[in-house]
Amino acid sequence: MEAHHVEHRDVTGGGARAAVFGASDGLLTNVALILGVLGASHAGHTVLLTGIAGLVAGAFSMGIGEYVSMRAQRELLERELDVERTEIRHRPEAETLELQQLYEQRGVPSDLAAAVAGYLMRDPDVALRIHAQEELGVAPEATGSPVQAALASFALFSLGAAVPLVPWIFTQGTLATGLSIGLAGLAALGLGGALGALSARPVVSSALRQLALAALAAAVTFGIGHLVGATVT
């Protein structure tokens, strides 16, 4: 019987996560911001400038924030890997016993656990990989890419934020409002459906959930903007 191997996508690098959250945040943030300002003021140029400012500020905030957080996480993991590498080099017996005990806790018989641990510890690179996966839950080469995560977050936030903003570049008033809401709704449905498909979840329910969240954010900010605008006026 031949071994059956299933290829899995790399979901540990940080780029996919940042892209998903970037697109969703960009869409939700800017449609809420645009409609919030629209509720307070119907001046088309004000809405346009606010949307552009929201896109630029949000994209840089998301990108830089993602870079900083991923960089800190990576440095912490690399520090722990260095500690583990030093322990394997200078205290191999203790690390072998530690690995043996980990397998025993998972139900492996003591003799077999000792044999497997001893075999794996013969190669320092293999030993580091096993200890990192067992103790830290990460492979040494899969600590994530801060640059990849930052670029993905920046680009996808910008793309999501641009969707409700585009109509205001070409038109104003009721037409721009309707197009902005319609495009944002379609984008929310598409994003939710894509997330459902990628994660093997029901596509329709994922799409409707994303649409409901976008509608809630837009309605609340529009209402607040309308109240603030009426009060200021």
Side-chain angles (χ1 to χ4, degrees), residues 17 19 57 72 84 89 108 128 141 147 181 187 210 224 229:
R17 175 179 61 88
E84 199 64 47
R89 184 183 303 117
V108 178
L128 177 63
E141 73 280 2
V147 174
I181 294 173
Q210 189 74 16
I224 294 174

Side-chain angles (χ1 to χ4, degrees), residues 94-185:
E95 291 297 300
T96 302
L97 180 59
E98 183 180 35
L99 194 60
Q100 175 187 338
Q101 291 172 346
L102 283 173
Y103 289 137
E104 289 177 354
Q105 291 171 5
R106 296 186 177 184
V108 178
S110 179
D111 292 344
L112 181 57
V116 172
Y119 180 82
L120 294 175
M121 288 293 294
R122 295 190 306 174
D123 186 331
D125 292 332
V126 173
L128 177 63
R129 171 184 289 274
I130 297 301
H131 277 277
Q133 290 175 334
E134 293 290 344
E135 297 177 38
L136 303 176
V138 63
E141 73 280 2
T143 54
S145 170
V147 174
Q148 179 190 37
L151 291 177
S153 184
F154 182 94
L156 270 296
F157 184 97
S158 300
L159 181 61
V163 171
L165 178 62
V166 168
W168 294 95
I169 299 175
F170 301 103
T171 186
Q172 296 183 13
T174 303
L175 178 59
T177 302
L179 289 174
S180 183
I181 294 173
L183 288 174

